[in-house]
Amino acid sequence: GFSREKDRAKLSWERCLRYDNSSLVDIFAGQLKSTLECTTCGYKSVTFDMFWDLSLPLPRVNKVFLLE
């Protein structure tokens, strides 16, 4: 259930921090949850991966500020 998945996410994040833990990680890194589900049997595979960037849509204006 949810609490088991939350525990797996926490363990995965702690494992990433063992190799790379800095103030840059605090600011720019995050964790992405990916779920694959078999269309035949319904089995779900859930993984948690560290990311350093995340693509976000930006408004189509001349000036875009980081806070936006």
Side-chain angles (χ1 to χ4, degrees), residues 9 12-13 16 29-34 46-52:
S12 177
W13 185 249
C16 290
Q31 188 177 52
L32 182 67
K33 174 186 169 186
S34 299
V46 179
T47 60
F48 299 94
D49 299 301
M50 184 180 205
F51 67 84
W52 279 94

Side-chain angles (χ1 to χ4, degrees), residues 2 8 11 13 20 24 31 36-37 58 64 66:
F2 175 74
R8 286 182 51 214
L11 287 173
W13 185 249
D20 194 355
L24 290 177
Q31 188 177 52
L36 294 174
E37 183 175 356
L58 295 175
V64 177
L66 184 59

Side-chain angles (χ1 to χ4, degrees), residues 6-60:
K6 187 177 173 183
D7 291 341
R8 286 182 51 214
K10 184 179 180 204
L11 287 173
S12 177
W13 185 249
E14 288 171 351
R15 186 173 32 251
C16 290
L17 292 181
R18 272 188 250 143
Y19 298 103
D20 194 355
N21 190 2
S22 68
S23 56
L24 290 177
V25 170
D26 294 341
I27 297 169
F28 294 108
Q31 188 177 52
L32 182 67
K33 174 186 169 186
S34 299
T35 305
L36 294 174
E37 183 175 356
C38 177
T39 57
T40 304
C41 69
Y43 175 78
K44 290 183 182 180
S45 171
V46 179
T47 60
F48 299 94
D49 299 301
M50 184 180 205
F51 67 84
W52 279 94
D53 59 4
L54 187 61
S55 298
L56 299 173
L58 295 175
R60 297 287 180 204

